[in-house]
Amino acid sequence: MNKGLFLTVEGAEGVGKSTNIAFIRSALESKGIEVIVTREPGGTEMAEEIREVLLKNRSEFVAENAELLLMFAARAQHIESLIKPALASGKWVISDRFTDATYAYQGGGRGVDVDKIAILERFVQNEFRPDKTILLDAPVEIGMARAHKRGELDRFENEKNAFFERVRKVYLDRLEQEPQRFEFIDASKTLEAVQAQLKNVINEIANRSV
Ligand code: Z5A
């Protein structure tokens, strides 16, 4: 049994995950909740090395299965060496992306068979799933415009708009399939308006869980 709560933050390119995770963290800490912020792919020394391999632009063709297996290899390490021990000690864990991103990017974006992802999810995670998932959603053009302001693009960011439209669609489909786990945030609004929505969601999650 987890003692802490496992919260994931998801969304397509540039929707404001990093910016808003900092906000969520301080909202929870102000309630006396001990929080660990992490990310995927990554979160541990070894998983961060896998992240570098995954995000690097390269001339070599990257096989879908190689990308998929590396995502889950990083996740296996992340879960066992960081997430589960932190939850067991009573801390809350906020992860910038988790397995919903694999369904969205590898499943939606790359077209990998969903059953294949589900098999790996079961193999690596058994029944382990996020307690709550905050989905930041914005039209692709808005997210891309925000992300592209940052400069050099990685291997995923170099994908075309159509790829990110498929990613967004999978996220919205998953929200519809699991309304009890997901919290929807309209991330196309100003940062102030986004954080007002987040504040309500965080208060509700914290009140129900503490
Ligand atoms: N990936 C995958 O394929 N499969 C998987 O299973 C997993 C991941 C786990 C790395 O993820 C890549 O890995 C990712 C998918 C793939 N690639 N892509 N694309 P990542 O999460 O590290 O990378 P990211 O999606 O590129 O995140 P990001 O671009 O850093 O976006 P963000 O964190 O959502 O946005 P941000 O940095 O907070 O905000 C972007 C800018 O917008 C920044 O200047 C903010 O100040 C600004 N901003 C934020 N909110 C607003 C509002 N509301 N108004 C105006 N401006 C705003």
Side-chain angles (χ1 to χ4, degrees):
M1 268 286 272
N2 294 332
K3 290 198 274 174
L5 189 118
F6 182 34
L7 185 62
T8 59
V9 180
E10 296 278 1
E13 181 69 6
V15 289
K17 291 179 289 37
S18 316
T19 311
N20 288 303
I21 283 174
F23 176 82
I24 296 169
R25 169 189 227 152
S26 71
L28 291 173
E29 285 176 346
S30 72
K31 294 176 186 296
I33 296 168
E34 230 185 309
V35 176
I36 288 193
V37 170
T38 184
R39 67 174 181 181
E40 287 214 343
T44 77
E45 195 184 323
M46 187 173 125
E48 287 290 332
E49 286 176 24
I50 299 175
R51 179 187 176 93
E52 276 177 39
V53 171
L54 277 161
L55 266 54
K56 185 176 168 191
N57 283 304
R58 54 183 84 237
S59 49
E60 181 184 350
F61 157 78
V62 177
E64 280 169 3
N65 281 345
E67 182 177 288
L68 179 66
L69 289 167
L70 283 169
M71 286 293 173
F72 272 105
R75 182 161 301 135
Q77 182 66 13
H78 191 208
I79 291 171
E80 300 308 328
S81 82
L82 187 145
I83 301 176
K84 282 188 176 171
L87 293 172
S89 74
K91 293 181 182 125
W92 286 32
V93 175
I94 306 175
S95 185
D96 185 339
R97 299 193 185 280
F98 193 65
T99 308
D100 291 303
T102 311
Y103 283 99
Y105 281 79
Q106 281 62 53
R110 304 257 188 253
V112 171
D113 185 355
V114 170
D115 292 341
K116 208 190 261 183
I117 300 173
I119 288 167
L120 288 171
E121 181 181 36
R122 170 59 63 112
F123 176 69
V124 167
Q125 299 172 219
N126 290 311
E127 301 302 320
F128 185 72
R129 301 286 183 278
D131 295 300
K132 273 282 171 196
T133 298
I134 295 177
L135 176 62
L136 297 168
D137 177 68
V140 169
E141 316 77 66
I142 293 183
M144 296 283 271
R146 287 180 190 163
H148 286 196
K149 269 196 250 156
R150 277 181 321 210
E152 213 183 307
L153 305 178
D154 66 36
R155 197 168 62 81
F156 289 94
E157 290 167 338
N158 272 315
E159 288 293 340
K160 307 260 178 309
N161 273 26
F163 176 94
F164 293 106
E165 293 289 359
R166 295 194 295 276
V167 167
R168 184 184 185 206
K169 181 175 183 318
V170 172
Y171 275 130
L172 292 173
D173 288 347
R174 292 179 73 73
L175 163 80
E176 209 174 298
Q177 288 154 11
E178 287 187 72
Q180 68 298 345
R181 173 165 67 90
F182 278 94
E183 299 287 350
F184 177 86
I185 301 287
D186 181 353
S188 68
K189 304 258 191 296
T190 63
L191 193 54
E192 215 176 31
V194 169
Q195 296 188 339
Q197 298 172 67
L198 273 174
K199 199 171 170 197
N200 291 336
V201 164
I202 291 303
N203 282 342
E204 215 180 287
I205 295 173
N207 290 343
R208 257 188 276 131
S209 313
V210 181

